[in-house]
Amino acid sequence: MNTLIRGAMLGLLACPLLAMADYTVVQITPMTGTQAATGKLLTEGASLVFKELNEKGGIAGQKIRYVVQDDAYKPDETVRLLKQVSAEKPVALLGLTGTANVSAAIESGALEAVGVPVVGAYTGATLVREKKHPQIFHLRASYAAEVEKLVEMATTVGQQKIAVLHQNDGFGQDGLAQVKKSLAARKLAPVAVASYERGTTQMGPAVEALAKADAAAIIMISSTVATSAFVKGYREKGGFAQLYTLSVNSERDIVATVGPQSHGLGISQVFPVPSGGKMPMTRDYLALLKKHAPDAKPSEGSLEGYVYARVLVEAMRRAGAKAGDPAAITKALESAPFDLGGFTVSFAPGQHEGSNYVELTMLNRNGELVR
């Protein structure tokens, strides 16, 4: 009898300890390689939210343990890390990065095996959206929406002769198809198309091809380092076309690499410009940045990571006593809109595209984004 009582007491004592275990959130994203700038900004923004939350006691007294794993923008590495991530016992994944990486995660079955929601995916590719994977919650508008905005802007100001630079993979092919579709709707077609290989900064052939094209504008379906290399090479070659690119680019790193020649670069954005602090959400982001990362500058990429974390934390709060249950978090994500302070995302069962927000910005002479 004493043994039974002693065992029951030990069990009761163990329960509070188990209840106070941290909730683990894992983000697999490039921290090295050609897309390292993207991963570092996403994790910078997410860290702001988790640091502030933990300082205030966490969720019902339980803190967030934020684990970042580097896939170097390599799809095979994304899959390998996913196959190992169950050891961390995550309640959710945050912000998988890259069209090819997310596609590999889905097609390999590794994502399904983990069995937790993925809040935010750093891709707007149609080929990923069409899969409608039940674990992935998209917080950025599609590339189709971004491309349409760029084509609309270019043609509205009279730039009818549009060329395309694209990465030679699923991301680039998806973007190229969307440019052709948007142009065709206006009875137009690209005047020239050039590509480059994923992971390279060797843009010589693409620069040569598009510098010879009679283009008034060039839409670049490209990532940060490739965009920087092309802009620099194209301008040095004497190219004068208006240049546009997508939100997956880090304006901070483009400016640092290209310098004054980046002036006038048009970049579509899928989140509000943070630097002005014109809405409650961006003011909160700026305040947390100043508090937790005082040496960092506001950026679209960092704000995006912040949004990923804000949505996940709010969903966990809505899950209440089941905040550590991936199924309950999924249900909470699908339950009602998330108003983050002037920026709203909304999901529903079977509908995991939370936002269609797109705006066009340009880099001014000071290397700052302006509308």
Side-chain angles (χ1 to χ4, degrees), residues 57-79:
I59 298 174
Q62 296 178 245
K63 296 184 177 182
I64 298 290
R65 175 175 168 260
Y66 180 39
V67 177
V68 177
Q69 297 183 349
D70 177 21
D71 66 7
Y73 196 47
K74 298 176 181 178
D76 290 347
E77 188 67 4
T78 306
V79 172

Side-chain angles (χ1 to χ4, degrees), residues 143-171:
Y143 292 146
E146 290 193 63
V147 165
E148 173 60 24
K149 175 66 75 172
L150 295 180
V151 171
E152 177 187 45
M153 173 57 68
T155 55
T156 296
V157 298
Q159 296 162 350
Q160 303 288 306
K161 295 181 178 180
I162 297 174
V164 184
L165 170 73
H166 71 91
Q167 187 164 289
N168 190 21
D169 67 352
F171 158 58

Side-chain angles (χ1 to χ4, degrees), residues 3 45 110 133 149 169 174 180 245 255 271-272 285 320 332 345 352:
T3 301
H133 197 283
K149 175 66 75 172
D169 67 352
D174 184 270
K180 289 180 175 179
T245 193
V255 171
F271 295 96
Y285 160 76
V345 297
H352 287 187

Side-chain angles (χ1 to χ4, degrees), residues 120-370:
Y122 199 80
T123 174
T126 303
L127 64 90
V128 172
R129 304 298 177 99
E130 286 177 341
K131 297 180 188 299
K132 294 186 179 294
H133 197 283
Q135 289 169 246
I136 301 177
F137 290 82
H138 296 279
L139 287 164
R140 53 169 35 241
S142 67
Y143 292 146
E146 290 193 63
V147 165
E148 173 60 24
K149 175 66 75 172
L150 295 180
V151 171
E152 177 187 45
M153 173 57 68
T155 55
T156 296
V157 298
Q159 296 162 350
Q160 303 288 306
K161 295 181 178 180
I162 297 174
V164 184
L165 170 73
H166 71 91
Q167 187 164 289
N168 190 21
D169 67 352
F171 158 58
Q173 292 292 342
D174 184 270
L176 174 61
Q178 296 303 328
V179 175
K180 289 180 175 179
K181 182 178 179 180
S182 290
L183 287 174
R186 295 165 172 84
K187 296 182 169 38
L188 298 170
V191 297
V193 175
S195 66
Y196 68 92
E197 294 305 311
R198 190 177 200 264
T200 186
T201 58
Q202 301 304 309
M203 306 300 288
V207 167
E208 287 288 339
L210 296 185
K212 293 175 183 177
D214 182 24
I218 300 173
I219 294 177
M220 299 176 288
I221 313 299
S222 52
S223 58
T224 300
V225 293
T227 300
S228 299
F230 179 82
V231 172
K232 189 174 179 62
Y234 180 76
R235 293 302 189 211
E236 288 176 351
K237 195 75 176 176
F240 57 84
Q242 171 64 53
L243 301 178
Y244 298 100
T245 193
L246 302 177
S247 64
V248 292
N249 286 266
S250 165
E251 75 283 354
R252 179 192 302 178
D253 291 275
I254 292 173
V255 171
T257 302
V258 180
Q261 290 174 320
S262 63
H263 171 232
L265 174 63
I267 309 177
S268 54
Q269 304 293 352
V270 293
F271 295 96
V273 175
S275 55
K278 294 183 178 180
M279 60 177 62
M281 180 185 77
T282 54
R283 288 196 293 273
D284 180 73
Y285 160 76
L286 292 172
L288 293 186
L289 193 69
K290 183 177 180 180
K291 177 179 179 181
H292 296 293
D295 295 329
K297 294 181 180 179
S299 74
E300 292 284 333
S302 177
L303 177 66
E304 182 163 350
Y306 161 93
V307 171
Y308 291 177
R310 276 281 308 272
V311 171
L312 173 58
V313 166
E314 180 57 30
M316 292 175 71
R317 283 180 172 143
R318 291 181 184 182
K322 295 184 177 181
D325 179 358
I329 295 172
T330 298
K331 185 176 180 180
L333 285 165
E334 296 176 336
S335 65
F338 294 80
D339 184 352
L340 306 182
F343 183 80
T344 301
V345 297
S346 181
F347 307 108
Q351 198 294 100
H352 287 187
E353 294 193 38
S355 171
N356 289 313
Y357 181 94
V358 183
E359 68 173 344
L360 180 65
T361 62
M362 285 196 172
L363 285 170
N364 65 15
R365 294 187 184 279
N366 297 321
E368 301 166 336
L369 288 175
V370 293

